[in-house]
Amino acid sequence: MTDEELAKRGIKLAGYLPGALAETVRLHMEYYAPQWNFGVAFETKVASEMAEFLGRLDADRDLYLKAHNDHGDMLGTITIDAEEVDSEGAHLRWFITSDAARSTGLGRALMSRAIQFCDQCGYDRIYLTTFAGLEAAR
């Protein structure tokens, strides 16, 4: 989906903006708490790992991309963490869309942007860690 197509749907893409950490954690908990019964351990893991990532975010190496509507509500996010790109590859992290944005093509658009970023950076390996049962992630 092009930027023009996203704009027609009222969706804008941006890098880090204040509040992005809290919004990303919220999206994860809105999905994982009811679907998988994940609680405080998962929430604090997402928050602490993402806070650590944002503290060292290097726009030349890493990608943090969020999608939001015209009202500023977060609709989705995706991250490429390239801290260990030389040994492990580029780590795809915190990829999620809101309930309202699922099945709209937004996830595909975010993934496309992340892959394009990795291609531009010359990363030859991208990996995602997940858990059994989360078929959509695979």
Side-chain angles (χ1 to χ4, degrees):
M1 194 177 315
T2 67
D3 288 342
E4 292 169 355
E5 291 170 323
L6 289 169
K8 285 180 185 176
R9 295 178 182 214
I11 299 171
K12 297 175 184 170
L13 300 180
Y16 172 81
L17 295 171
L21 172 61
E23 290 178 300
T24 302
V25 171
R26 179 185 53 79
L27 280 184
H28 278 75
M29 293 313 295
E30 284 177 354
Y31 177 77
Y32 288 102
Q35 295 293 325
W36 296 94
N37 202 30
F38 285 4
V40 70
F42 179 74
E43 185 171 4
T44 56
K45 178 178 175 57
V46 171
S48 63
E49 289 181 7
M50 188 168 191
E52 187 273 328
F53 167 78
L54 289 172
R56 62 175 165 75
L57 176 65
D58 177 345
D60 292 330
R61 181 191 73 193
D62 306 309
L63 174 71
Y64 174 80
L65 188 60
K66 74 173 258 187
H68 57 94
N69 64 19
D70 291 332
H71 303 290
D73 302 321
M74 182 182 271
L75 300 174
T77 183
I78 196 166
T79 301
I80 296 293
D81 182 352
E83 182 178 47
E84 297 177 356
V85 71
D86 293 333
S87 59
E88 301 294 323
H91 192 177
L92 175 73
R93 306 184 80 179
W94 305 298
F95 177 40
I96 195 163
T97 60
S98 67
D99 287 341
R102 287 202 183 92
S103 299
T104 65
L106 176 60
R108 186 174 316 219
L110 290 170
M111 182 64 74
S112 176
R113 297 305 195 297
I115 292 170
Q116 180 180 21
F117 176 83
C118 290
D119 287 345
Q120 289 171 348
C121 290
Y123 301 155
D124 58 1
R125 182 170 183 254
I126 306 167
Y127 73 97
L128 167 71
T129 53
T130 188
F131 57 92
L134 194 58
E135 304 306 322
R138 289 198 261 176

mmCIF file of all heavy atoms in Angstrom, residues 21-54:
data_model
loop_
_atom_site.group_PDB
_atom_site.id
_atom_site.type_symbol
_atom_site.label_atom_id
_atom_site.label_comp_id
_atom_site.label_asym_id
_atom_site.label_seq_id
_atom_site.Cartn_x
_atom_site.Cartn_y
_atom_site.Cartn_z
ATOM 1 N N LEU A 21 5.871 4.468 23.158
ATOM 2 C CA LEU A 21 6.127 3.297 23.997
ATOM 3 C C LEU A 21 4.839 2.840 24.675
ATOM 4 O O LEU A 21 4.459 1.667 24.590
ATOM 5 C CB LEU A 21 7.205 3.603 25.041
ATOM 6 C CG LEU A 21 7.446 2.555 26.117
ATOM 7 C CD1 LEU A 21 7.898 1.235 25.515
ATOM 8 C CD2 LEU A 21 8.476 3.054 27.121
ATOM 9 N N ALA A 22 4.148 3.749 25.317
ATOM 10 C CA ALA A 22 2.906 3.398 26.017
ATOM 11 C C ALA A 22 1.852 2.880 25.043
ATOM 12 O O ALA A 22 1.152 1.906 25.335
ATOM 13 C CB ALA A 22 2.376 4.609 26.776
ATOM 14 N N GLU A 23 1.749 3.516 23.878
ATOM 15 C CA GLU A 23 0.758 3.081 22.890
ATOM 16 C C GLU A 23 1.065 1.679 22.364
ATOM 17 O O GLU A 23 0.154 0.876 22.158
ATOM 18 C CB GLU A 23 0.719 4.058 21.720
ATOM 19 C CG GLU A 23 0.122 5.405 22.061
ATOM 20 C CD GLU A 23 0.174 6.331 20.865
ATOM 21 O OE1 GLU A 23 1.281 6.608 20.366
ATOM 22 O OE2 GLU A 23 -0.908 6.765 20.429
ATOM 23 N N THR A 24 2.342 1.393 22.153
ATOM 24 C CA THR A 24 2.730 0.078 21.652
ATOM 25 C C THR A 24 2.433 -0.992 22.694
ATOM 26 O O THR A 24 1.891 -2.056 22.363
ATOM 27 C CB THR A 24 4.223 0.061 21.264
ATOM 28 O OG1 THR A 24 4.447 1.070 20.276
ATOM 29 C CG2 THR A 24 4.635 -1.284 20.722
ATOM 30 N N VAL A 25 2.753 -0.716 23.937
ATOM 31 C CA VAL A 25 2.456 -1.664 25.015
ATOM 32 C C VAL A 25 0.948 -1.874 25.105
ATOM 33 O O VAL A 25 0.467 -3.009 25.235
ATOM 34 C CB VAL A 25 3.038 -1.182 26.361
ATOM 35 C CG1 VAL A 25 2.553 -2.054 27.515
ATOM 36 C CG2 VAL A 25 4.565 -1.152 26.308
ATOM 37 N N ARG A 26 0.182 -0.801 24.997
ATOM 38 C CA ARG A 26 -1.283 -0.909 25.059
ATOM 39 C C ARG A 26 -1.815 -1.815 23.950
ATOM 40 O O ARG A 26 -2.645 -2.698 24.202
ATOM 41 C CB ARG A 26 -1.933 0.474 24.962
ATOM 42 C CG ARG A 26 -3.471 0.430 25.005
ATOM 43 C CD ARG A 26 -4.111 1.792 24.778
ATOM 44 N NE ARG A 26 -3.659 2.457 23.575
ATOM 45 C CZ ARG A 26 -4.094 2.177 22.331
ATOM 46 N NH1 ARG A 26 -4.987 1.226 22.137
ATOM 47 N NH2 ARG A 26 -3.639 2.852 21.286
ATOM 48 N N LEU A 27 -1.342 -1.621 22.720
ATOM 49 C CA LEU A 27 -1.807 -2.471 21.618
ATOM 50 C C LEU A 27 -1.489 -3.940 21.890
ATOM 51 O O LEU A 27 -2.325 -4.811 21.628
ATOM 52 C CB LEU A 27 -1.158 -2.061 20.292
ATOM 53 C CG LEU A 27 -1.736 -0.877 19.556
ATOM 54 C CD1 LEU A 27 -1.016 -0.687 18.222
ATOM 55 C CD2 LEU A 27 -3.225 -1.025 19.324
ATOM 56 N N HIS A 28 -0.304 -4.201 22.398
ATOM 57 C CA HIS A 28 0.061 -5.587 22.698
ATOM 58 C C HIS A 28 -0.834 -6.177 23.779
ATOM 59 O O HIS A 28 -1.284 -7.319 23.664
ATOM 60 C CB HIS A 28 1.536 -5.672 23.098
ATOM 61 C CG HIS A 28 2.447 -5.713 21.914
ATOM 62 N ND1 HIS A 28 2.727 -4.598 21.159
ATOM 63 C CD2 HIS A 28 3.106 -6.741 21.349
ATOM 64 C CE1 HIS A 28 3.537 -4.953 20.179
ATOM 65 N NE2 HIS A 28 3.776 -6.238 20.264
ATOM 66 N N MET A 29 -1.109 -5.409 24.811
ATOM 67 C CA MET A 29 -1.943 -5.935 25.897
ATOM 68 C C MET A 29 -3.396 -6.088 25.467
ATOM 69 O O MET A 29 -4.064 -7.029 25.898
ATOM 70 C CB MET A 29 -1.822 -5.049 27.141
ATOM 71 C CG MET A 29 -0.432 -5.089 27.766
ATOM 72 S SD MET A 29 0.270 -6.761 27.971
ATOM 73 C CE MET A 29 -0.868 -7.467 29.148
ATOM 74 N N GLU A 30 -3.894 -5.202 24.618
ATOM 75 C CA GLU A 30 -5.264 -5.336 24.127
ATOM 76 C C GLU A 30 -5.440 -6.634 23.336
ATOM 77 O O GLU A 30 -6.526 -7.202 23.327
ATOM 78 C CB GLU A 30 -5.645 -4.135 23.248
ATOM 79 C CG GLU A 30 -5.929 -2.891 24.047
ATOM 80 C CD GLU A 30 -6.237 -1.680 23.176
ATOM 81 O OE1 GLU A 30 -6.132 -1.754 21.920
ATOM 82 O OE2 GLU A 30 -6.558 -0.630 23.756
ATOM 83 N N TYR A 31 -4.387 -7.079 22.684
ATOM 84 C CA TYR A 31 -4.469 -8.329 21.938
ATOM 85 C C TYR A 31 -4.113 -9.534 22.813
ATOM 86 O O TYR A 31 -4.871 -10.506 22.884
ATOM 87 C CB TYR A 31 -3.558 -8.286 20.707
ATOM 88 C CG TYR A 31 -3.560 -9.598 19.959
ATOM 89 C CD1 TYR A 31 -4.638 -9.937 19.144
ATOM 90 C CD2 TYR A 31 -2.537 -10.512 20.100
ATOM 91 C CE1 TYR A 31 -4.674 -11.155 18.476
ATOM 92 C CE2 TYR A 31 -2.560 -11.731 19.435
ATOM 93 C CZ TYR A 31 -3.632 -12.051 18.631
ATOM 94 O OH TYR A 31 -3.662 -13.254 17.988
ATOM 95 N N TYR A 32 -2.961 -9.493 23.465
ATOM 96 C CA TYR A 32 -2.445 -10.678 24.143
ATOM 97 C C TYR A 32 -3.126 -11.003 25.475
ATOM 98 O O TYR A 32 -3.178 -12.165 25.862
ATOM 99 C CB TYR A 32 -0.929 -10.557 24.356
ATOM 100 C CG TYR A 32 -0.166 -10.700 23.069
ATOM 101 C CD1 TYR A 32 0.339 -9.590 22.402
ATOM 102 C CD2 TYR A 32 0.037 -11.947 22.499
ATOM 103 C CE1 TYR A 32 1.028 -9.720 21.212
ATOM 104 C CE2 TYR A 32 0.726 -12.095 21.307
ATOM 105 C CZ TYR A 32 1.217 -10.982 20.674
ATOM 106 O OH TYR A 32 1.896 -11.123 19.488
ATOM 107 N N ALA A 33 -3.655 -10.017 26.168
ATOM 108 C CA ALA A 33 -4.326 -10.316 27.437
ATOM 109 C C ALA A 33 -5.586 -11.163 27.222
ATOM 110 O O ALA A 33 -5.704 -12.246 27.799
ATOM 111 C CB ALA A 33 -4.631 -9.038 28.210
ATOM 112 N N PRO A 34 -6.524 -10.734 26.379
ATOM 113 C CA PRO A 34 -7.718 -11.562 26.200
ATOM 114 C C PRO A 34 -7.481 -12.829 25.375
ATOM 115 O O PRO A 34 -8.098 -13.857 25.617
ATOM 116 C CB PRO A 34 -8.712 -10.640 25.506
ATOM 117 C CG PRO A 34 -7.929 -9.545 24.911
ATOM 118 C CD PRO A 34 -6.670 -9.425 25.722
ATOM 119 N N GLN A 35 -6.591 -12.766 24.381
ATOM 120 C CA GLN A 35 -6.364 -13.907 23.497
ATOM 121 C C GLN A 35 -5.514 -15.003 24.129
ATOM 122 O O GLN A 35 -5.717 -16.188 23.862
ATOM 123 C CB GLN A 35 -5.679 -13.438 22.199
ATOM 124 C CG GLN A 35 -6.508 -12.522 21.348
ATOM 125 C CD GLN A 35 -7.718 -13.218 20.756
ATOM 126 O OE1 GLN A 35 -7.691 -14.380 20.409
ATOM 127 N NE2 GLN A 35 -8.814 -12.482 20.651
ATOM 128 N N TRP A 36 -4.536 -14.596 24.939
ATOM 129 C CA TRP A 36 -3.554 -15.541 25.466
ATOM 130 C C TRP A 36 -3.428 -15.489 26.988
ATOM 131 O O TRP A 36 -2.581 -16.167 27.556
ATOM 132 C CB TRP A 36 -2.187 -15.272 24.821
ATOM 133 C CG TRP A 36 -2.244 -15.526 23.361
ATOM 134 C CD1 TRP A 36 -2.479 -14.601 22.373
ATOM 135 C CD2 TRP A 36 -2.133 -16.783 22.710
ATOM 136 N NE1 TRP A 36 -2.506 -15.213 21.148
ATOM 137 C CE2 TRP A 36 -2.280 -16.555 21.325
ATOM 138 C CE3 TRP A 36 -1.902 -18.082 23.154
ATOM 139 C CZ2 TRP A 36 -2.221 -17.585 20.386
ATOM 140 C CZ3 TRP A 36 -1.828 -19.094 22.207
ATOM 141 C CH2 TRP A 36 -1.989 -18.835 20.850
ATOM 142 N N ASN A 37 -4.234 -14.662 27.635
ATOM 143 C CA ASN A 37 -4.220 -14.529 29.089
ATOM 144 C C ASN A 37 -2.864 -14.049 29.611
ATOM 145 O O ASN A 37 -2.426 -14.446 30.684
ATOM 146 C CB ASN A 37 -4.631 -15.847 29.762
ATOM 147 C CG ASN A 37 -5.128 -15.640 31.164
ATOM 148 O OD1 ASN A 37 -5.690 -14.591 31.482
ATOM 149 N ND2 ASN A 37 -4.903 -16.619 32.017
ATOM 150 N N PHE A 38 -2.186 -13.222 28.815
ATOM 151 C CA PHE A 38 -0.900 -12.658 29.239
ATOM 152 C C PHE A 38 -1.181 -11.484 30.163
ATOM 153 O O PHE A 38 -2.083 -10.695 29.914
ATOM 154 C CB PHE A 38 -0.096 -12.171 28.040
ATOM 155 C CG PHE A 38 0.521 -13.273 27.223
ATOM 156 C CD1 PHE A 38 0.314 -14.610 27.486
ATOM 157 C CD2 PHE A 38 1.354 -12.954 26.163
ATOM 158 C CE1 PHE A 38 0.900 -15.613 26.721
ATOM 159 C CE2 PHE A 38 1.947 -13.937 25.389
ATOM 160 C CZ PHE A 38 1.723 -15.268 25.667
ATOM 161 N N GLY A 39 -0.386 -11.355 31.198
ATOM 162 C CA GLY A 39 -0.592 -10.302 32.184
ATOM 163 C C GLY A 39 0.643 -9.456 32.404
ATOM 164 O O GLY A 39 1.372 -9.133 31.478
ATOM 165 N N VAL A 40 0.871 -9.165 33.678
ATOM 166 C CA VAL A 40 1.908 -8.204 34.047
ATOM 167 C C VAL A 40 3.309 -8.644 33.602
ATOM 168 O O VAL A 40 4.122 -7.804 33.218
ATOM 169 C CB VAL A 40 1.858 -7.892 35.562
ATOM 170 C CG1 VAL A 40 2.304 -9.091 36.398
ATOM 171 C CG2 VAL A 40 2.690 -6.656 35.882
ATOM 172 N N ALA A 41 3.618 -9.917 33.633
ATOM 173 C CA ALA A 41 4.956 -10.365 33.218
ATOM 174 C C ALA A 41 5.209 -10.013 31.749
ATOM 175 O O ALA A 41 6.281 -9.522 31.388
ATOM 176 C CB ALA A 41 5.122 -11.862 33.452
ATOM 177 N N PHE A 42 4.225 -10.249 30.905
ATOM 178 C CA PHE A 42 4.367 -9.926 29.483
ATOM 179 C C PHE A 42 4.409 -8.414 29.281
ATOM 180 O O PHE A 42 5.233 -7.888 28.517
ATOM 181 C CB PHE A 42 3.226 -10.545 28.679
ATOM 182 C CG PHE A 42 3.300 -10.242 27.210
ATOM 183 C CD1 PHE A 42 4.237 -10.862 26.402
ATOM 184 C CD2 PHE A 42 2.424 -9.336 26.631
ATOM 185 C CE1 PHE A 42 4.309 -10.582 25.037
ATOM 186 C CE2 PHE A 42 2.485 -9.053 25.274
ATOM 187 C CZ PHE A 42 3.433 -9.679 24.473
ATOM 188 N N GLU A 43 3.520 -7.707 29.961
ATOM 189 C CA GLU A 43 3.464 -6.260 29.808
ATOM 190 C C GLU A 43 4.786 -5.603 30.199
ATOM 191 O O GLU A 43 5.301 -4.737 29.477
ATOM 192 C CB GLU A 43 2.326 -5.679 30.655
ATOM 193 C CG GLU A 43 2.119 -4.201 30.465
ATOM 194 C CD GLU A 43 0.855 -3.691 31.139
ATOM 195 O OE1 GLU A 43 0.162 -4.471 31.825
ATOM 196 O OE2 GLU A 43 0.560 -2.502 30.956
ATOM 197 N N THR A 44 5.356 -6.022 31.311
ATOM 198 C CA THR A 44 6.620 -5.427 31.739
ATOM 199 C C THR A 44 7.772 -5.840 30.827
ATOM 200 O O THR A 44 8.703 -5.064 30.614
ATOM 201 C CB THR A 44 6.944 -5.769 33.200
ATOM 202 O OG1 THR A 44 6.964 -7.187 33.381
ATOM 203 C CG2 THR A 44 5.923 -5.145 34.145
ATOM 204 N N LYS A 45 7.710 -7.036 30.265
ATOM 205 C CA LYS A 45 8.747 -7.475 29.322
ATOM 206 C C LYS A 45 8.711 -6.604 28.064
ATOM 207 O O LYS A 45 9.751 -6.107 27.612
ATOM 208 C CB LYS A 45 8.549 -8.946 28.957
ATOM 209 C CG LYS A 45 9.553 -9.490 27.947
ATOM 210 C CD LYS A 45 9.301 -10.965 27.701
ATOM 211 C CE LYS A 45 10.178 -11.562 26.635
ATOM 212 N NZ LYS A 45 11.598 -11.444 26.834
ATOM 213 N N VAL A 46 7.531 -6.417 27.493
ATOM 214 C CA VAL A 46 7.403 -5.562 26.303
ATOM 215 C C VAL A 46 7.873 -4.144 26.628
ATOM 216 O O VAL A 46 8.671 -3.555 25.887
ATOM 217 C CB VAL A 46 5.954 -5.549 25.769
ATOM 218 C CG1 VAL A 46 5.775 -4.497 24.679
ATOM 219 C CG2 VAL A 46 5.566 -6.925 25.245
ATOM 220 N N ALA A 47 7.403 -3.597 27.733
ATOM 221 C CA ALA A 47 7.740 -2.220 28.086
ATOM 222 C C ALA A 47 9.233 -2.040 28.342
ATOM 223 O O ALA A 47 9.843 -1.082 27.841
ATOM 224 C CB ALA A 47 6.940 -1.792 29.317
ATOM 225 N N SER A 48 9.836 -2.946 29.090
ATOM 226 C CA SER A 48 11.254 -2.770 29.420
ATOM 227 C C SER A 48 12.149 -2.991 28.208
ATOM 228 O O SER A 48 13.097 -2.234 27.978
ATOM 229 C CB SER A 48 11.664 -3.680 30.579
ATOM 230 O OG SER A 48 11.538 -5.043 30.235
ATOM 231 N N GLU A 49 11.845 -4.012 27.400
ATOM 232 C CA GLU A 49 12.675 -4.263 26.223
ATOM 233 C C GLU A 49 12.522 -3.155 25.193
ATOM 234 O O GLU A 49 13.501 -2.744 24.565
ATOM 235 C CB GLU A 49 12.355 -5.626 25.620
ATOM 236 C CG GLU A 49 12.837 -6.767 26.496
ATOM 237 C CD GLU A 49 12.552 -8.141 25.925
ATOM 238 O OE1 GLU A 49 12.082 -8.247 24.764
ATOM 239 O OE2 GLU A 49 12.805 -9.124 26.649
ATOM 240 N N MET A 50 11.317 -2.665 25.045
ATOM 241 C CA MET A 50 11.123 -1.589 24.080
ATOM 242 C C MET A 50 11.749 -0.288 24.583
ATOM 243 O O MET A 50 12.314 0.472 23.782
ATOM 244 C CB MET A 50 9.648 -1.387 23.779
ATOM 245 C CG MET A 50 9.455 -0.427 22.652
ATOM 246 S SD MET A 50 7.768 -0.457 22.077
ATOM 247 C CE MET A 50 7.990 0.485 20.605
ATOM 248 N N ALA A 51 11.664 -0.015 25.876
ATOM 249 C CA ALA A 51 12.302 1.178 26.433
ATOM 250 C C ALA A 51 13.810 1.128 26.214
ATOM 251 O O ALA A 51 14.431 2.138 25.841
ATOM 252 C CB ALA A 51 11.982 1.298 27.923
ATOM 253 N N GLU A 52 14.398 -0.038 26.404
ATOM 254 C CA GLU A 52 15.836 -0.202 26.176
ATOM 255 C C GLU A 52 16.157 0.061 24.711
ATOM 256 O O GLU A 52 17.119 0.758 24.378
ATOM 257 C CB GLU A 52 16.268 -1.609 26.601
ATOM 258 C CG GLU A 52 17.780 -1.846 26.565
ATOM 259 C CD GLU A 52 18.265 -2.306 25.205
ATOM 260 O OE1 GLU A 52 17.518 -2.997 24.482
ATOM 261 O OE2 GLU A 52 19.415 -1.960 24.848
ATOM 262 N N PHE A 53 15.343 -0.480 23.803
ATOM 263 C CA PHE A 53 15.542 -0.265 22.364
ATOM 264 C C PHE A 53 15.430 1.221 22.016
ATOM 265 O O PHE A 53 16.292 1.771 21.324
ATOM 266 C CB PHE A 53 14.520 -1.075 21.556
ATOM 267 C CG PHE A 53 14.451 -0.667 20.116
ATOM 268 C CD1 PHE A 53 15.410 -1.089 19.210
ATOM 269 C CD2 PHE A 53 13.435 0.163 19.662
ATOM 270 C CE1 PHE A 53 15.372 -0.690 17.877
ATOM 271 C CE2 PHE A 53 13.378 0.564 18.333
ATOM 272 C CZ PHE A 53 14.356 0.132 17.439
ATOM 273 N N LEU A 54 14.379 1.872 22.461
ATOM 274 C CA LEU A 54 14.179 3.282 22.121
ATOM 275 C C LEU A 54 15.306 4.155 22.661
ATOM 276 O O LEU A 54 15.672 5.153 22.041
ATOM 277 C CB LEU A 54 12.818 3.771 22.631
ATOM 278 C CG LEU A 54 11.607 3.211 21.890
ATOM 279 C CD1 LEU A 54 10.314 3.597 22.590
ATOM 280 C CD2 LEU A 54 11.585 3.658 20.432
#
